[in-house]
Amino acid sequence: MGKEYFIKCQKLDTQATRRFLEQRFTVLETAVGAFELSLRGATPEPTSDWVPVVVAFETDGVYFLDNLASPFQAASIFMQLVDFLLSRSEVITITEP
């Protein structure tokens, strides 16, 4: 069980967001179309087999799951993703589903 967020965007450009993720992070696409993310070059946490973050695109935003496996990585990924989305949209809303 992790911590879930939904980042609602006015105009989500999924292609640009995917390119951003691939440029910044280690990305593994899952069978269900979500993306497992970790910081490039980061050492995996020795106590966890989980990736730090999973994101999925929805029609009006991004689902973000912090697996609580690496607080530093999750916080860094979250901050960078929010900054990117704010650069593309005037308003974003972050809620817990």
Side-chain angles (χ1 to χ4, degrees):
M1 184 89 172
K3 186 77 171 164
E4 299 176 75
Y5 300 98
F6 183 70
I7 308 168
K8 185 175 181 177
C9 305
Q10 293 172 330
K11 302 174 201 165
L12 179 64
D13 182 342
T14 57
Q15 294 298 333
T17 305
R18 182 177 178 152
R19 280 191 307 275
F20 167 79
L21 296 176
E22 291 171 342
Q23 290 171 352
R24 292 286 178 104
F25 310 112
T26 300
V27 178
L28 177 63
E29 188 168 0
T30 69
V32 295
F35 302 94
E36 297 179 344
L37 305 178
S38 59
L39 294 178
R40 286 196 177 156
T43 305
E45 296 291 326
T47 59
S48 179
D49 293 333
W50 295 92
V51 294
V53 170
V54 176
V55 298
F57 300 141
E58 298 187 11
T59 56
D60 58 346
V62 178
Y63 168 80
F64 183 99
L65 172 63
D66 173 354
N67 279 319
L68 304 176
S70 177
F72 172 77
Q73 286 194 62
S76 181
I77 293 167
F78 185 80
M79 180 188 68
Q80 291 180 60
L81 178 58
V82 166
D83 285 346
F84 172 78
L85 294 172
L86 280 171
S87 75
R88 299 284 186 144
S89 181
E90 292 179 21
V91 176
I92 65 170
T93 305
I94 302 169
T95 57
E96 293 181 76

